[in-house]
Amino acid sequence: MSLEHDIRERAMSLAAAAQAAAQRGDRDEALALWRETIDLEPHEVHYAIASTNDLAGMGEPSLALDVCAQWIAKNPDNAMIRVQRGVIYLNSCSDRDNAIECFAEALFIDPDNHEAHAALAQIYLFGGQPELMRFHAKQALIRADARRALHLRGRFLSDHAAVIEQASAMLATTPGDADIWMMLGKALYMLCRFDEARDAFRRVAESEPSRMDAIGALGDTLILLGREDEGWRMLEGLARDEYVLTFYPDIAPYLAKKWRGEALHGKRVLVAYHAGIGDNLMLARYAKRLADAGASVHFVCRPELHRLFRDLDGAQSVASGWRTDELAQFDYWVLDYLLPAYMGRAGMSGAEHGYVRTPREARSRWDGYMQPYRDKLKVGLCWFSGPHNFSGIDRFVPARALKPLSAIEGVEWFVLQKNQANAHLERQSGIRAHDLSSQWSDFADTAGLVDHLDLVISVDSSPLHLAGALGKRAWAILPAAPEWRWGRQGERTEWYPEMRLYRQARLHEWEPVIARIGNDLRELIGRR
């Protein structure tokens, strides 16, 4: 047996021990073992990547960056560890500039590194710079393998027809590949081929019952298709014991307290948020429904909503976090996303006038600022938000498509999103808007501003749900393939009586939608 073989075996053993230590949360032991591993195999990049992933996952991004720097000193011509360093800067440190520098260094070393191009596409996607996003996505696409190419086409280029064609060809030779079936299902969904999308998602859910992205997509699609009972039964899988235990290992003694629609009179119920801020806002209305059914409600919300929800109708108490041992004090717990499954959908008391109230101090802080615009139509605008949603970039309106709205006189515009896309609004659309987002610390501050507005125009994102929860007039801009909550047709929604829905007829075609909004905006100004 050669010395090289012995070294390789020793490094593999150390790496396994290091990963086990990281899983236990033992930072010092994991770091020591990883350093010993890398000393033995100083040119094996997968050890450097695995070690820095472990350190970043344990909340030690500085140590992870230090390991990257040491490895780069020994391997200055390796592009992959520079990509890894950029990923840590971006995901663990929120340091966009240093991340871009790392990816640029990787491309200088290896111009064909598709991971660096894909990472830059991701940065420019979140930065609201679609031209740069598409450039780097196309560069990654021509260098990536077939599987990676499917992801790039769908996420960054919205080329769903090509995804369907290529995924179908790949599945002809590998029919059991669940990841490809998921990408196919998403592409079919975005092209409004909902029945086919449902079948693709169902295939994944049946072959991999623990795969929550498939269960969520299948349940949501069934509801959109009008098969609500079946859809909600599927979505109950989101609270499946083995899945919940992966997030809350200590919840095992309380799994039997999961609420499934039992009588609530005299019972204490903890409601925990499951999904995004918009979902949390929409589903907060159920606190009053639970209270009307006789429950004492403890509502756990997203941290960004805590101050806004402190006087939530129906909630005896509101918190922004919880510990599993607190469940000993409650009779039941339930995920907010599943409340419609057990209590029905909309048409709830109080929904007509809003069920969330802005704290007085959050509203009054904007009184002086808004005073000069009292004679204008004050409109809040959200056209771009975090693209983690199922629909990704397809639910956002390119800023340039908003240009017709810039010519409408009598409107004072206010930005209702908080991201880097704000800086490009006037250049791309001609709309000059007030951007006060740097002064918002949470959604109570945003709600205080929204209270002063006459209208909110928003894509399917949290500002839209905020306006609906406050009972404000709102116009929703929806993609051709909407989420389950909006249904497939109609201008009104039972979730928010004061909201009007503007639906895209075909994917990528926003001009007719913006034209309708412009006409209705002029009519509204004329009535004033």
Side-chain angles (χ1 to χ4, degrees):
M1 192 173 294
S2 69
L3 179 60
E4 286 184 3
H5 180 272
D6 290 344
I7 291 174
R8 190 176 301 114
E9 290 292 315
R10 174 63 176 159
M12 291 173 61
S13 175
L14 287 168
Q19 289 180 319
Q23 290 175 355
R24 295 193 304 271
D26 191 334
R27 184 204 70 169
D28 293 337
E29 184 177 358
L31 180 59
L33 289 167
W34 275 125
R35 282 179 170 158
E36 191 175 350
T37 304
I38 294 171
D39 286 341
L40 280 174
E41 295 272 47
H43 305 299
E44 291 293 335
V45 69
H46 63 276
Y47 287 142
I49 291 175
S51 64
T52 51
N53 280 338
D54 278 352
L55 292 169
M58 288 189 289
E60 297 287 354
S62 295
L63 280 175
L65 291 171
D66 180 57
V67 171
C68 285
Q70 293 176 35
W71 204 89
I72 288 171
K74 297 177 182 178
N75 303 271
D77 295 328
N78 187 284
M80 281 308 301
I81 194 61
R82 295 176 189 273
V83 172
Q84 175 70 357
R85 192 183 190 193
V87 169
I88 294 168
Y89 270 123
L90 186 63
N91 294 341
S92 300
C93 305
S94 300
D95 189 337
R96 180 176 182 264
D97 292 338
N98 269 318
I100 290 174
E101 183 177 345
C102 290
F103 300 138
E105 288 174 357
L107 288 172
F108 181 79
I109 295 169
D110 177 13
D112 290 328
N113 190 293
H114 74 276
E115 293 294 348
H117 279 297
L120 286 167
Q122 180 86 344
I123 286 177
Y124 294 123
L125 168 62
F126 280 87
Q129 295 172 270
E131 296 86 359
L132 285 170
M133 176 198 73
R134 282 191 290 271
F135 170 79
H136 285 287
K138 289 176 180 178
Q139 293 299 311
L141 182 65
I142 62 178
R143 295 166 169 85
D145 60 25
R147 179 185 293 273
R148 183 67 166 149
L150 279 184
H151 173 79
L152 293 165
R153 287 189 185 280
R155 179 164 178 75
F156 298 112
L157 301 178
S158 188
D159 188 358
H160 301 301
V163 171
I164 292 170
E165 180 181 354
Q166 293 176 15
S168 300
M170 293 169 71
L171 288 169
T173 57
T174 56
D177 194 313
D179 289 335
I180 296 177
W181 277 108
M182 277 301 299
M183 287 187 274
L184 174 62
K186 288 183 179 182
L188 290 165
Y189 188 101
M190 295 316 302
L191 291 182
C192 300
R193 294 163 62 174
F194 300 120
D195 290 314
E196 295 170 84
R198 173 204 60 205
D199 293 342
F201 296 142
R202 190 186 300 281
R203 181 156 185 157
V204 180
E206 289 177 349
S207 64
E208 298 186 11
S210 63
R211 185 156 177 166
M212 291 300 114
D213 59 343
I215 287 174
L218 176 57
D220 290 351
T221 304
L222 287 166
I223 294 171
L224 184 70
L225 288 169
R227 298 167 63 171
E228 293 217 8
D229 290 344
E230 185 182 356
W232 286 115
R233 284 197 302 273
M234 178 60 60
L235 288 175
E236 283 186 283
L238 298 173
R240 186 179 297 164
D241 289 354
E242 56 268 31
Y243 180 60
V244 173
L245 284 168
T246 62
F247 292 98
Y248 307 106
D250 298 330
I251 205 172
Y254 310 107
L255 289 173
K257 292 187 174 186
K258 192 187 310 176
W259 186 62
R260 298 179 177 85
E262 295 90 344
L264 289 171
H265 187 72
K267 303 296 185 181
R268 298 196 69 206
V269 180
L270 182 145
V271 180
Y273 69 84
H274 168 72
I277 293 173
D279 296 292
N280 211 193
L281 280 161
M282 187 184 87
L283 299 167
R285 70 187 68 210
Y286 282 94
K288 189 173 189 307
R289 287 284 301 277
L290 291 165
D292 290 345
S296 174
V297 181
H298 179 66
F299 197 90
V300 181
C301 66
R302 301 272 304 205
E304 303 92 329
L305 296 170
H306 186 221
R307 186 160 64 104
L308 179 63
F309 279 4
R310 65 186 181 191
D311 295 321
L312 180 64
D313 282 350
Q316 186 177 65
S317 58
V318 178
S320 61
W322 60 289
R323 304 188 314 272
T324 51
D325 59 5
E326 292 179 0
L327 293 178
Q329 308 169 30
F330 295 92
D331 299 293
Y332 295 113
W333 63 269
V334 63
L335 300 178
D336 63 355
Y337 204 75
L338 294 178
L339 287 170
Y342 306 125
M343 305 197 76
R345 289 184 58 172
M348 289 159 234
S349 60
E352 296 79 6
H353 307 291
Y355 49 89
V356 172
R357 292 180 298 277
T358 303
R360 183 177 301 174
E361 74 280 2
R363 188 186 196 285
S364 62
R365 67 171 296 192
W366 304 109
D367 288 347
Y369 187 92
M370 301 298 285
Q371 183 65 20
Y373 313 111
R374 61 186 182 277
D375 296 329
K376 293 282 193 77
L377 183 73
K378 297 177 288 297
V379 180
L381 179 64
C382 172
W383 69 99
F384 182 92
S385 187
H388 288 304
N389 181 276
F390 179 89
S391 302
I393 61 174
D394 290 321
R395 68 183 172 130
F396 304 135
V397 181
R400 63 182 180 277
L402 300 170
K403 193 170 183 60
L405 302 182
S406 68
I408 300 176
E409 297 182 357
V411 177
E412 200 72 28
W413 295 95
F414 295 83
V415 168
L416 288 184
Q417 58 193 37
K418 191 171 185 175
N419 55 54
Q420 293 168 337
N422 294 0
H424 309 290
L425 176 63
E426 184 174 356
R427 177 178 60 83
Q428 294 175 347
S429 71
I431 294 175
R432 300 183 64 181
H434 301 266
D435 182 4
L436 306 173
S437 59
S438 63
Q439 301 180 44
W440 304 336
S441 61
D442 60 13
F443 270 78
D445 289 332
T446 314
L449 177 63
V450 170
D451 265 352
H452 287 277
L453 302 179
D454 302 299
L455 170 67
V456 167
I457 300 176
S458 175
V459 296
D460 185 2
S461 190
S462 53
L464 180 66
H465 291 283
L466 175 63
L470 293 170
K472 298 289 292 187
R473 176 188 291 168
W475 294 354
I477 309 176
L478 301 181
E483 289 192 352
W484 63 269
R485 72 198 83 213
W486 308 117
R488 288 186 287 171
Q489 58 188 3
E491 293 186 353
R492 296 291 178 181
T493 171
E494 56 191 343
W495 291 105
Y496 302 115
E498 296 297 323
M499 190 174 289
R500 183 185 298 176
L501 309 182
Y502 291 80
R503 297 179 182 272
Q504 186 186 53
R506 288 170 57 94
L507 182 68
H508 303 146
E509 293 183 3
W510 288 114
E511 290 77 7
V513 180
I514 301 305
R516 293 199 305 274
I517 288 174
N519 290 336
D520 289 348
L521 199 53
R522 290 185 182 91
E523 181 182 339
L524 182 59
I525 293 169
R527 289 203 305 268
R528 284 170 60 88

